[in-house]
Amino acid sequence: MQVILGANGQIGEELARALKRNFTSDIRIVSREAKRVNDTDAVFSADLSIKEKAIEAVKGCEIAYFTLGLPISSDLWEKQFPLILGNVIDACKINRTKLVFFDNTYMYPQDDRKLTERTPFQPLGRKAKVRKLMAEMVLKEMQSGQLEAVICRAPEFYGPAKTQSITNTLLFNNIKEGKKLSVPLSDAKKRSLIWTPDASRATALIGNTPDAFGQTWHLPVDESHPTYRQFIGWASEIYGKQLKYSVVPKFIFKIGARFNKRVKELQELLPRYEHDNIFDDSKFRKRFPDFEVTTYREGIELIRNEQFSLQK
């Protein structure tokens, strides 16, 4: 059996589908209010901040995927994320379960350097420091040999359904609502965005590749690295209309942070939009050359089709 911890977000749901499609139908779904993704899924509702629940959630499983997310709150992240991950690590060690840790890039430097699996952590902000701590917790266990684990790291999301990201919020949600699009800080810097179903498919593949463990892997993205100007240009072609947008300067976000808690929480992520963001996935591509990455044009078209189908 394989278990998904934090299974009812976009990554967890797509992961459950990918596992069922390509690897196994023996899947356990775990979250606070667990719901089946596939009709064959077993469900287990649990608060993983309680160690005994984490141990029970992982029991009898060969592989555990940590895809759990929390609301964007520095206070909550500092209090809950290390506690939950520590419980999961202990649960995996007790049950002799492999751990697949789904990670993000918050702890990386927010400058123009190309990001590889060897890029040193330089966290900027409280949430970034939490993600650094979590990654180091897994790395420590991997290096000690006490836990068979692997880190799957993804850049900013874009995608269908429940996908949550700055790009989805400022671009695709505004397209859906007929509003002018917004771009944070610059429309001329190169971006690396990962299609959420690709992130989940790649994570399932790594989790079921024994020699992938004991390493960090950058998950695959479309290698074209467009600017937001190019990305919106493609979207305009695909939607069949000229999509107008404005570039939101940093001072506007600072003003908004005074009145909106979510905007305040996003402040530490803004520097990355002042620089080219090049996420190097060459290690994954060399190891898994047959993996088909969704192009940005294909992704935009799929989002458009989903939006149109919901309007009918």
Side-chain angles (χ1 to χ4, degrees):
M1 175 173 278
Q2 301 191 20
V3 59
I4 305 173
L5 307 171
N8 292 126
Q10 180 67 8
I11 294 298
E13 287 191 1
E14 293 289 352
L15 177 57
R17 295 187 185 101
L19 289 174
K20 172 74 181 292
R21 186 167 56 243
N22 299 318
F23 299 104
T24 180
S25 59
D26 197 8
I27 301 167
R28 180 183 296 158
I29 300 291
V30 177
S31 65
R32 283 180 178 266
E33 297 179 2
K35 299 177 182 178
R36 285 184 181 86
V37 178
N38 308 298
D39 57 7
T40 54
D41 293 339
V43 295
F44 183 78
S45 295
D47 179 353
L48 297 176
S49 67
I50 302 170
K51 191 171 189 175
E52 292 74 18
K53 290 292 185 181
I55 293 170
E56 191 176 352
V58 172
K59 187 176 181 179
C61 295
E62 177 190 0
I63 303 171
Y65 299 85
F66 188 98
T67 62
L68 187 144
L70 291 173
I72 298 294
S73 163
S74 295
D75 290 340
L76 185 62
W77 281 33
E78 290 168 349
K79 181 179 179 180
Q80 289 287 309
F81 255 148
L83 171 64
I84 292 171
L85 179 58
N87 288 344
V88 168
I89 287 172
D90 287 344
C92 288
K93 290 162 74 173
I94 289 168
N95 288 288
R96 297 188 177 182
T97 301
K98 296 180 181 180
L99 175 63
V100 180
F101 178 63
F102 188 87
D103 200 9
N104 65 25
T105 61
Y106 283 19
M107 77 295 290
Y108 277 155
Q110 296 193 32
D111 54 29
D112 286 315
R113 79 186 75 181
K114 180 183 287 188
L115 302 175
T116 75
E117 289 89 348
R118 297 176 300 280
T119 298
F121 297 161
Q122 293 181 13
L124 179 64
R126 292 169 64 190
K127 288 180 287 297
K129 289 177 181 177
V130 172
R131 295 305 305 197
K132 173 180 180 286
L133 172 61
M134 294 171 72
E136 289 176 342
M137 288 170 67
V138 178
L139 287 169
K140 180 181 177 181
E141 296 294 338
M142 286 165 49
Q143 291 162 2
S144 73
Q146 296 185 46
L147 176 66
E148 194 168 358
V150 63
I151 295 175
C152 299
R153 186 165 292 142
E156 183 185 341
F157 301 152
Y158 84 108
K162 295 181 180 180
T163 300
Q164 296 184 34
S165 69
I166 290 177
T167 296
N168 263 54
T169 298
L170 298 183
L171 271 62
F172 293 109
N173 289 2
N174 284 339
I175 293 174
K176 182 179 179 181
E177 296 170 9
K179 298 179 180 178
K180 189 176 183 179
L181 281 56
S182 298
V183 169
L185 275 58
S186 173
D187 65 348
K189 300 298 182 180
K190 295 180 179 180
R191 312 307 311 157
S192 296
L193 304 171
I194 192 166
W195 178 247
T196 46
D198 282 2
S200 297
R201 283 195 302 121
T203 299
L205 177 58
I206 289 171
N208 286 276
T209 303
D211 65 16
F213 281 76
Q215 305 174 57
T216 296
W217 296 85
H218 277 187
L219 300 179
V221 299
D222 180 333
E223 292 183 293
S224 60
H225 303 295
T227 64
Y228 271 127
R229 184 187 304 147
Q230 293 171 311
F231 193 84
I232 293 171
W234 294 338
S236 294
E237 294 175 15
I238 290 165
Y239 277 82
K241 59 182 178 181
Q242 187 63 42
L243 297 169
K244 296 182 179 180
Y245 70 93
S246 59
V247 176
V248 183
K250 187 183 292 186
F251 80 88
I252 294 295
F253 283 101
K254 288 184 178 180
I255 294 172
R258 299 176 185 174
F259 308 100
N260 186 302
K261 186 176 181 180
R262 181 172 175 79
V263 174
K264 182 180 179 180
E265 291 286 354
L266 292 174
Q267 288 290 296
E268 69 182 69
L269 304 180
L270 288 179
R272 71 183 57 198
Y273 296 96
E274 295 178 302
H275 304 278
D276 288 338
N277 178 245
I278 306 299
F279 186 79
D280 183 354
D281 62 1
S282 57
K283 176 181 174 180
F284 180 95
R285 289 176 179 270
K286 289 176 183 176
R287 177 62 182 82
F288 304 103
D290 296 329
F291 188 96
E292 294 185 6
V293 177
T294 302
T295 68
Y296 290 120
R297 284 182 175 273
E298 290 170 340
I300 295 167
E301 187 168 356
L302 287 165
I303 293 173
R304 181 205 63 180
N305 293 344
E306 179 184 63
Q307 290 179 346
F308 283 4
S309 67
L310 292 173
Q311 292 171 357
K312 293 180 180 178

